[in-house]
Amino acid sequence: MTTATRDEILETPTTPTPAAGRSVDPVISVQNLWKVFGGKGADVPGSDELSALSRKELKERTGCVAAVCDLSFDVAPGEVFVVMGLSGSGKSTLVRCLTRLIEPTAGQVLFKGDDILQANERSLRELRRHSIAMVFQHFGLLPHRRVADNVSYGLEIRGTGKKERAQRAAEVIDLVGLSGYENSFPDQLSGGMQQRVGLARALAGDPEVLLFDEPFSALDPLIRRDMQNEVIRLHHEVGKTMVFITHDLSEALKLGDRILIMRDGRLVQIGTGADLVGAPADDYVRDFVREVPRSHVLTLRWIMRPVHADDVLDGPELGPEVVVRDAVRVVLEAERPIKVVEGGRLLGVVGDAEILSVVAES
């Protein structure tokens, strides 16, 4: 019976496997995307010499600033895809390029196979109204409108009838936990409640994709945690594809199916939280994840060992994506190594030694 080695695990593609019946085609596909600010910005992507320069070198040579540099990635249907990096890494510019709130310099942004960069004004307007909604850090609520009217504003712009607007607003207000506040004005709400209004407004139009640009950065820590939990709950309930921008690693690990780390406009690493913690691409990523408890992120797939000839395989079974922390009790209470099984196939085993080596590092 074959088992997966650690090297095989590291080489496994990190694009998530769609659920049965779900399309394998990405919802969003970003290909060789550039955004270069400056008068000579258009010259950079096509020049091997200029495109190879660091951000500082490019600025000194041309006066241009490369905010997004030759970025490529896919976002799968129903995925929570997190883009993170420090201030100035280009993540907010990137998310604005996805709907051309900022015009990219070069590359492609494909939405369900169609290049957004080639869309005319009418098509782009329809895309923003119906298919992709954005939630910003600054709520942008209309202060003279009540909660229900703020939530239904996008539907009003679409030309949706008053009765239908009111019904849909009530549905999403209830969904985000604001029932009873329909007639309140924004200044009567806390920051967290205002952000829920912004979230409800984005959901009201039933978009296929939600883009979040550091939506919780200005909130107090406890409210921020509540809003993170709210996003997780809503994702489970409505299953929207989400692209989430943050500078907070703990937020990225909590929310993201996969995480893209940016530095100076470039992709440093992309993968699951376990990929980043278990096999950081360089010292930059290694510094990012240094304080993360490995047992809270790594899965059994990362620590399992091959089956030995003398192993007695009559112990319990666990899946490879079980987080180490959640497997500690089962493994330590078992008399023999537990089997790591996926789809009826034995991948490896995990015993006390494998579990304790990770727990000791946490």
Side-chain angles (χ1 to χ4, degrees):
M1 194 170 292
T2 59
T3 58
T5 66
R6 189 176 187 83
D7 288 340
E8 288 171 340
I9 294 166
L10 291 176
E11 293 171 1
T12 300
T14 56
T15 301
T17 302
R22 179 184 288 174
S23 171
V24 297
D25 295 328
V27 176
I28 296 174
S29 182
V30 175
Q31 300 177 10
N32 307 112
L33 188 68
W34 286 84
K35 178 56 188 178
V36 186
F37 294 98
K40 300 180 179 179
D43 298 334
V44 177
S47 168
D48 291 340
E49 180 184 3
L50 294 178
S51 62
L53 296 176
S54 69
R55 180 179 283 181
K56 181 179 179 181
E57 291 169 336
L58 183 65
K59 174 69 173 176
E60 292 173 348
R61 177 89 64 91
T62 67
C64 297
V65 176
V68 176
C69 306
D70 199 20
L71 212 58
S72 297
F73 60 89
D74 291 340
V75 181
E79 181 178 16
V80 180
F81 186 87
V82 174
V83 179
M84 69 161 298
L86 300 178
S87 179
S89 63
K91 56 190 186 298
S92 289
T93 300
L94 167 63
V95 76
R96 283 165 169 76
C97 284
L98 297 184
T99 56
R100 285 175 55 189
L101 292 177
I102 292 177
E103 286 289 345
T105 305
Q108 290 184 309
V109 178
L110 304 178
F111 176 72
K112 300 175 69 174
D114 295 327
D115 190 356
I116 292 174
L117 274 59
Q118 302 303 317
N120 58 31
E121 289 188 10
R122 179 179 179 180
S123 298
L124 193 57
R125 186 164 56 248
E126 290 299 300
L127 180 83
R128 293 171 179 168
R129 287 182 178 178
H130 297 277
S131 301
I132 302 178
M134 198 157 183
V135 181
F136 295 96
Q137 175 181 343
H138 302 292
F139 317 127
L141 302 181
L142 301 172
H144 61 287
R145 284 181 170 240
R146 300 179 189 274
V147 166
D149 296 324
N150 265 283
V151 170
S152 63
Y153 182 69
L155 298 177
E156 182 179 342
I157 296 299
R158 280 191 196 178
T160 305
K162 186 175 182 180
K163 182 177 180 180
E164 186 178 345
R165 293 200 311 265
Q167 181 178 346
R168 179 58 181 163
E171 290 172 356
V172 292
I173 286 171
D174 180 62
L175 186 64
V176 302
L178 282 178
S179 293
Y181 292 92
E182 295 86 349
N183 294 317
S184 299
F185 288 98
D187 63 2
Q188 296 174 314
L189 306 177
S190 68
M193 294 173 74
Q194 289 183 42
Q195 191 58 284
R196 287 173 187 262
V197 177
L199 186 53
R201 181 176 57 190
L203 288 167
D206 196 24
E208 294 182 60
V209 177
L210 289 169
L211 306 179
F212 296 84
D213 186 15
E214 301 206 59
F216 310 144
S217 295
L219 302 178
D220 293 336
L222 290 179
I223 299 176
R224 181 171 186 162
R225 184 181 63 191
D226 289 342
M227 288 305 300
Q228 291 167 357
N229 292 336
E230 187 69 12
V231 167
I232 293 171
R233 181 185 69 82
L234 286 172
H235 183 254
H236 288 161
E237 289 193 18
V238 300
K240 300 292 184 184
T241 303
M242 299 180 178
V243 178
F244 197 99
I245 307 299
T246 184
H247 64 269
D248 186 322
L249 178 62
S250 62
E251 186 166 77
L253 292 172
K254 183 174 183 178
L255 297 178
D257 294 314
R258 287 187 302 148
I259 302 167
L260 184 158
I261 294 185
M262 293 182 67
R263 183 184 188 185
D264 291 340
R266 298 184 185 273
L267 184 155
V268 180
Q269 186 171 0
I270 184 171
T272 64
D275 292 330
L276 304 184
V277 173
D282 60 13
D283 289 340
Y284 183 72
V285 181
R286 193 170 290 108
D287 286 341
F288 252 118
V289 303
R290 179 171 293 156
E291 302 301 321
V292 177
R294 290 166 61 83
S295 65
H296 292 199
V297 178
L298 293 184
T299 62
L300 298 186
R301 188 185 295 277
W302 281 88
I303 68 168
M304 64 187 182
R305 62 168 174 80
V307 178
H308 295 160
D310 58 349
D311 283 328
V312 178
L313 302 179
D314 61 355
E317 298 180 1
L318 289 175
E321 304 310 323
V322 174
V323 176
V324 169
R325 175 182 59 178
D326 298 332
V328 170
R329 180 181 294 275
V330 175
V331 174
L332 295 183
E333 290 181 351
E335 296 182 1
R336 298 181 177 88
I338 66 106
K339 295 174 289 186
V340 181
V341 177
E342 182 176 45
R345 186 167 70 98
L346 178 63
L347 302 181
V349 296
V350 174
D352 294 0
E354 289 76 32
I355 281 285
L356 292 175
S357 67
V358 177
V359 172
E361 296 175 356
S362 298

